[in-house]
Amino acid sequence: MATTPETTFPVTVFAASWCPYCSRLIADLDRADLPEGTVEIVDVDAPGTESISEWIESVNDGNRVVPTVLYSDGTHATNPPAADVIAKIAELS
């Protein structure tokens, strides 16, 4: 398995601008009015994200699926609904 990306946020959303599921998750999380510093959004198409793409593929049966969400406890979720992410944030607090 590829190395898990490092993050200092409780939730890191690996997303792409062309992905409607990513846009929906990000918009729903924005509407949830979460505390500053809770969620980090990482553009998987940005230069230098090759190792992140490798990790995403390693946790999604070889597929580069976005959004893939990494939680600070090391767990992850693929294309989760915002309600699940918000519940996980509460669990991590």
Side-chain angles (χ1 to χ4, degrees):
M1 182 186 285
T3 303
T4 303
E6 290 186 28
T7 181
T8 58
F9 289 79
V11 175
T12 302
V13 177
F14 298 103
S17 60
W18 49 264
C19 170
Y21 302 104
C22 299
S23 297
R24 183 182 60 204
L25 177 60
I26 292 166
D28 289 348
L29 293 174
D30 285 344
R31 278 192 294 277
D33 198 32
L34 298 167
E36 186 73 26
T38 302
V39 177
E40 175 184 31
I41 309 298
V42 176
D43 179 358
V44 298
D45 290 331
T49 60
E50 293 79 16
S51 64
I52 291 170
S53 290
E54 289 173 11
W55 176 79
I56 290 169
E57 291 172 9
S58 76
V59 299
N60 289 298
D61 298 321
N63 298 304
R64 188 172 174 256
V65 181
V66 289
T68 296
V69 178
L70 174 63
Y71 300 106
S72 60
D73 66 358
T75 61
H76 58 72
T78 302
N79 196 15
D84 289 1
V85 177
I86 293 165
K88 185 68 174 185
I89 290 168
E91 179 185 315
L92 293 170
S93 297

